Amino acid sequence: MSTGKHRRRSERSGALWWLGQISSWTLFLAAVGILLALVVVPRATGSTPYTVLTGSMAPGMPPGTLVVSKPVEPADLQAGDVITYQLHSGEPEVVTHRILSTANSLDGQTAFITQGDANAAPDREPVQPGQIRGAVWYSVPWAGYVNTWLTGEQRIWITGGAVVLLAGYTLCMFLGATLDAVRNRRRRQATTGEESYHGAA
């Protein structure tokens, strides 16, 4: 009987068991991180995720990078900031480039001279304040490919499903730890009882 207990303890403390635990937790945390970056954080902060489609911002933001742009006041922008802006005001197509400098437009507003990090020359037309969708808050390599697959409705379903799965996973881990604690306590009590019995004998 003691041999069986020893075998079970060895199975739960051997190299393969620890490797499985580390691998499962690594995958779990990676999935949580991608979910937070792709869906939860943008929705909670009013930011917008975009996918980099070209190499104009390489090597820092190669194609497939997810960039999350947060709303910003144009007056707070300065040279060096990376912004996402509409190519033409009111149209959906956007570009993410770095601000090189500012200039005054014909109507007296401040316009922004931008350029991709990998481009040899600045963009042809200055960016007007009304074109700016936000300043890049953070970026995640390769996650943009996932972003292009998801529609707005799919993000809502994924967020809800992920919350349920994470809650279920957390509950399972808690129950597993609780059961292990109960088993260990009973095992210690049984061992103490056996030692007391042999001592009395």
Side-chain angles (χ1 to χ4, degrees), residues 65-99:
T65 298
L66 173 78
V67 295
V68 175
S69 294
K70 196 172 185 178
V72 64
E73 289 294 330
D76 295 332
L77 294 171
Q78 57 186 352
D81 291 339
V82 179
I83 60 172
T84 300
Y85 62 91
Q86 296 171 326
L87 274 178
H88 302 285
S89 184
E91 296 184 4
E93 188 175 2
V94 297
V95 174
T96 297
H97 279 174
R98 192 179 303 277
I99 297 175

Side-chain angles (χ1 to χ4, degrees), residues 39-145:
V39 180
V40 178
V41 173
R43 288 181 63 86
T45 60
S47 305
T48 305
Y50 299 97
T51 300
V52 176
L53 300 177
T54 70
S56 65
M57 287 297 290
M61 299 178 189
T65 298
L66 173 78
V67 295
V68 175
S69 294
K70 196 172 185 178
V72 64
E73 289 294 330
D76 295 332
L77 294 171
Q78 57 186 352
D81 291 339
V82 179
I83 60 172
T84 300
Y85 62 91
Q86 296 171 326
L87 274 178
H88 302 285
S89 184
E91 296 184 4
E93 188 175 2
V94 297
V95 174
T96 297
H97 279 174
R98 192 179 303 277
I99 297 175
L100 289 183
S101 60
T102 59
N104 291 325
S105 60
L106 296 177
D107 58 2
Q109 288 187 321
T110 299
F112 300 90
I113 310 301
T114 57
Q115 180 178 337
D117 290 351
N119 292 349
D123 300 328
R124 288 185 298 176
E125 298 182 5
V127 178
Q128 305 300 320
Q131 296 174 251
I132 297 173
R133 309 309 299 162
V136 173
W137 184 17
Y138 62 86
S139 62
V140 183
W142 311 115
Y145 291 122

